């Protein structure tokens, strides 16, 4: 395989805390290994528009503690067309970029897989998403921070829920995945979580109310994953008002605050290890894989597996939540 001299790095799709720690790790690790680094701004859109600068170790100084991404992020429809990807490839050729590290979620890695195959070009992906919905890794960069943010918010809402003896539906992110809702509920001692993985199988709301989830309590907190499948917190509150009048029900939608904030130690360490591993993977002639973590070991996950949209939820967690909410 052709020798790699210059690596491009970009962040794409939804931002996640820890992306900066990953940018720092990729940059420094590449320089340590004698490679040149090019920072590509605004994801695939910036790649097509040639928003590219040389990156040195100073470009990534003082960013490990920052949320968001210093490279900015964007969504780009043009990259979904062969013509758009050809433009992106031409720009990379002009900059002599001979490998790419893409930090992003499911969509970004889908784009990376297509791009890599089309041009037979080496790309390494890093899982950057708060949703934790990429297969083949125990955790994604940003997930732990978002989980901690949710826990802090639910702790605060509990104070008012208890004082007024209310039922609260708190909506958290996770369109296709209930990791944030389920683990957030366990961490914050909530009564239940309503998640997309289960919504097609049972009516979780009916089950919850029929099981008498309020029998020993006057207030309750239920975490709901934002998803057309769960009905979202608003949809569930509406149902309670119509089907189970008598509950004093309120809704809180946590929204974008879940994406922000300084990354936790866990996310910084994860991003640092994964960033360094991305460069090791390239030096090791690995191609078109996402870096994952399994049982605390770095693993290489082929793009096709990482994005297969079937990361299973651990059913033991549902049981734990049920048991502890009596
Ligand atoms: P995330 O990476 O957070 O899941 P998106 O789903 O918005 O975010 O994807 C980010 C970008 O990845 C899109 O704007 C697009 O440029 C690129 N992308 C997503 N899906 C594809 C695809 N099927 N083909 C090519 N590019 C894609």
């Amino acid at each position: 395989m052709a020798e790699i001299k210059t690596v491009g790095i970009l962040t794409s799709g939804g931002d996640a805390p820890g992306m900066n720690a990953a940018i720092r790790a990729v940059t420094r690790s590449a320089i340590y290994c004698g490679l040149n680094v090019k920072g590509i701004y605004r994801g695939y859109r910036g790649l097509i528009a040639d928003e590219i600068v040389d990156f040195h170790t100073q470009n990534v100084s003082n960013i490990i503690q920052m949320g968001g991404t210093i490279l900015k992020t964007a969504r780009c429809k043009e990259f979904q067309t062969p013509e758009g990807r050809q433009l992106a490839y031409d720009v990379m050729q002009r900059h002599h970029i001979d490998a790419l590290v893409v930090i992003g979620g499911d969509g970004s890695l889908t784009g990376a897989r297509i791009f890599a195959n089309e041009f037979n070009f080496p790309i390494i992906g890093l899982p950057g998403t708060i949703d934790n919905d990429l297969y083949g890794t125990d955790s994604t960069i940003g997930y732990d921070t978002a989980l901690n943010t949710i826990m802090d918010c639910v702790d605060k809402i509990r104070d008012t829920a208890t004082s007024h003896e209310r039922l609260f539906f708190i909506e958290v992110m996770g369109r296709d995945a209930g990791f944030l809702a389920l683990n957030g509920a366990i961490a914050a001692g909530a009564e239940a979580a309503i998640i997309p993985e289960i919504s097609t199988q049972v009516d979780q709301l009916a089950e919850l109310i029929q099981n008498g989830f309020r029998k020993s309590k006057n207030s309750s907190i239920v975490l709901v994953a934002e998803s057309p499948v769960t009905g979202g917190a608003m949809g569930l509150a509406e149902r309670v008002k119509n089907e189970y009048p008598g509950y004093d029900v309120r809704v809180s939608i946590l929204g974008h605050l879940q994406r922000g904030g300084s990354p936790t130690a866990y996310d910084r360490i994860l991003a640092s290890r994964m960033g360094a591993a991305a460069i090791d993977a390239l030096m090791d002639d690995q191609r078109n894989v996402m870096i994952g973590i399994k049982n605390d070991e770095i693993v290489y996950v082929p793009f096709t597996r990482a994005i297969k949209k079937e990361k299973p939820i651990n059913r033991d967690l549902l049981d734990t939540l049920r048991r502890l909410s009596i």
Side-chain angles (χ1 to χ4, degrees):
M1 276 193 225
E3 196 194 346
I4 292 171
K5 293 197 183 110
T6 302
V7 179
I9 172 169
L10 62 82
T11 50
S12 164
D15 61 307
M19 280 185 161
N20 282 324
I23 294 167
R24 172 180 179 269
V26 171
T27 303
R28 295 224 165 137
S29 194
I31 293 169
Y32 179 85
C33 292
L35 304 177
N36 302 314
V37 181
K38 303 257 182 182
I40 302 161
Y41 283 82
R42 296 180 183 79
Y44 297 127
R45 197 171 86 200
L47 179 56
I48 292 172
D50 200 344
E51 295 185 61
I52 300 178
V53 301
D54 289 336
F55 255 35
H56 307 283
T57 65
Q58 308 87 287
N59 291 84
V60 294
S61 294
N62 213 5
I63 65 166
I64 195 168
Q65 76 285 10
M66 289 163 55
T69 158
I70 59 158
L71 282 175
K72 315 290 182 194
T73 185
R75 297 199 155 91
C76 175
K77 277 222 158 14
E78 207 179 350
F79 195 74
Q80 297 188 14
T81 65
E83 297 76 25
R85 291 191 294 272
Q86 181 66 56
L87 288 173
Y89 184 71
D90 293 344
V91 171
M92 287 207 303
Q93 295 288 91
R94 279 207 298 280
H95 284 271
H96 306 289
I97 294 173
D98 19 51
L100 202 57
V101 176
V102 172
I103 308 169
D106 175 68
S108 304
L109 299 191
T110 302
R113 183 185 66 82
I114 294 167
F115 193 41
N117 288 340
E118 229 164 33
F119 295 97
N120 191 22
F121 190 82
I123 305 186
I124 303 293
L126 295 187
T129 165
I130 64 167
D131 293 345
N132 199 29
D133 59 351
L134 288 162
Y135 189 88
T137 186
D138 290 340
S139 192
T140 56
I141 296 166
Y143 170 62
D144 184 66
T145 306
L147 199 52
N148 276 280
T149 302
I150 289 168
M151 182 182 72
D152 290 343
C153 292
V154 177
D155 286 350
K156 290 190 166 74
I157 292 170
R158 179 180 295 287
D159 291 344
T160 171
T162 315
S163 303
H164 284 278
E165 306 189 318
R166 279 175 173 150
L167 163 60
F168 256 92
F169 288 110
I170 303 178
E171 187 173 293
V172 301
M173 287 188 171
R175 280 183 66 78
D176 307 307
F179 295 98
L180 286 172
L182 183 52
N183 283 304
I186 294 175
E191 276 60 47
I194 295 191
I195 59 175
E197 290 87 341
I198 309 292
S199 289
T200 50
Q201 297 154 27
V202 288
D203 183 345
Q204 294 172 89
L205 179 65
E207 200 179 61
L208 208 65
I209 292 190
Q210 275 146 28
N211 288 345
F213 74 111
R214 280 188 84 179
K215 55 183 178 280
S216 59
K217 299 169 190 161
N218 291 324
S219 69
S220 302
I221 290 182
V222 177
L223 264 64
V224 184
E226 63 148 5
S227 164
V229 193
T230 61
M234 286 297 213
L236 289 168
E238 216 34 59
R239 269 193 66 193
V240 170
K241 277 184 206 154
N242 295 329
E243 295 170 37
Y244 310 98
Y247 286 94
D248 187 8
V249 57
R250 290 290 186 279
V251 165
S252 183
I253 296 174
L254 299 189
H256 283 88
L257 69 81
Q258 295 165 86
R259 287 193 185 282
S262 180
T264 57
Y266 182 89
D267 271 334
R268 294 182 198 196
I269 295 166
L270 181 70
S272 299
R273 289 179 71 186
M274 286 181 163
I279 299 302
D280 286 345
L282 282 175
M283 303 306 266
D284 206 18
D285 273 344
Q286 290 289 330
R287 300 288 182 264
N288 312 335
V289 293
M290 179 192 84
I291 305 295
I293 193 143
K294 277 269 170 197
N295 302 322
D296 206 36
E297 296 278 339
I298 291 288
V299 290
Y300 300 148
V301 189
F303 283 148
T304 36
R305 280 187 56 219
I307 57 185
K308 71 180 192 151
K309 289 187 190 292
E310 279 175 19
K311 187 169 178 179
I313 206 101
N314 180 351
R315 300 261 167 164
D316 291 350
L317 295 173
L318 280 169
D319 184 52
T320 303
L321 178 59
R322 232 175 255 139
R323 251 190 239 193
L324 302 187
S325 64
I326 54 172

